[in-house]
Amino acid sequence: MRRRPLNILGALPLSDTHATQPAPLRRHAVAWALLNAAAGLVGGLTLGWGPLAAPTAAIAGLGLLGALLGAAAARWADRAGRRRWVLRGHAALLVAVALAALIPLYRIGALAPPGEGREGNFRRLRRALDAAYPYFELKGVDWDAAYARYAPQVAEAETDEAYWSLVARMLAELNDGHTGVTSPSARSGLRTFAACRDLDGTIVLDRVGATAQAAGLARGDIVLAVDGRPIEEALAAVPAVLAGGSTPEQRRAAAADVVLSTRGEGLTVTVVDARAQERTVTLRVPDDPPPPPPAPQGPRITGERLPSGLGLIRVPSLGDRDLVAEFDAALDPLMDAPGLILDLRGNGGGNTFVSDRIAGRFLARPFTYGREHFRLRLPQRGWRPHFDYRVTPRGELYTGPVVLLVDGGCFSTAENFIVALVDAGRATTVGRPTGAGSGNPLPFRLTGGAQARFSTGDFRRNDGTPIEGHGIAPDVPVAWTVDDLREGRDPDLDAAERRLPAGPAAPGD
């Protein structure tokens, strides 16, 4: 009895007629089977990864099943002479997948009709947030009423810049640091003389530029007025596009950061200095402003051993996969330190692929630290209704005690990182409440070339607590004083060292 040749999977024989065909025709049949098996594999993987949000093993199983069914369809089509039907089936599958991707993308505003005007763009933005924004209830915002207030103003806007400003103001009402407008002119031409800091209601100079220093201003000077307006009025006048945030504290901090900025020729500022002297100085933009300072060289994540023997690693960002290697390089020489301090202050976030891998150096077993819920299933997230965040142990583990320095500048992915270590019982926090943002935002193109973005994910810790609007309260609160700034002290670091076994004893202990 003549043996029949097997198909590509070695299980489904081709028809008897193919066995007697010339080699070119047999190769054609094998290629046809390969094509159908590949189409079935893609379809099975897409089904498992997308609408079903299946586990990895199940996705692989569905892909294999799809490949088997595709090869079986090829065999049936050859025997029955129905290749056209198989082609139609595969075409229908591809159309279904395309629609499953395009429809949600259109709903979130990723696809814009050509020649769209400002009013149409505004309506589409409203529909996008209606479909995907997860925090209306949490924020307590009447979105329909907000849209109704701004729609007539949008109709009267005469320029794209005016339109962007209106959108920024409306989105600012959501009080969401991940939701707002990034326009080409948001910071264009903005000259900042100094960045200020809010210390328990007092606005104090923090980072002082060369022009301000030349005028006699110094770190720790208390700001009373800007251009003759009391400081509180000046803060309130900062445009929404420059002062977004998820908490009142974060929005106030953002406004303080740019309140001594101008697009004009200069401004006046009234301060009280370290000698308790009140004075008003004029700051003018130089005719030939110096070039911006060069970008810092070397690694962004750095480590050192403190005089107490404790390790200190500064982690200013989590936005690049190269940072994992930088963190490892900083941690490895400190593996024998009796305690470790991770300075996350001002870390605005980045990517959980980075933060979760860094956290893996501190956990002895896998740990799921929260789940993000989506109102709208999107193809770029595998059409999943939710996503679990999980840390997996990686490399040599640091097993000593860990303290995290945190403040209102810790935001987004940085807060995921804090939650992972705190809820796993591996770290204590010192400082001030974090910025309270976890929106997993997506972009929305505005008419005229600007771009908005809005939150789409509602992250919850294992106990159901959201980060958005709540943040993470430190285990050890620390309040800075004006004298701390003036004298160069770091009370956060002092408090962290006192929490660790090898740190210096607290005064009076």
Side-chain angles (χ1 to χ4, degrees), residues 331-348:
L331 175 61
D332 289 344
L334 301 174
M335 291 295 291
D336 62 341
L340 188 65
I341 301 169
L342 301 185
D343 187 353
L344 301 171
R345 292 173 296 182
N347 188 320

Side-chain angles (χ1 to χ4, degrees), residues 113-124 154 160 163 446-448:
E116 182 181 53
R118 289 189 285 267
E119 292 181 74
N121 186 253
F122 190 62
R123 287 192 296 269
R124 196 161 53 84
V154 168
D160 289 333
Y163 171 54
L446 298 176
T447 299

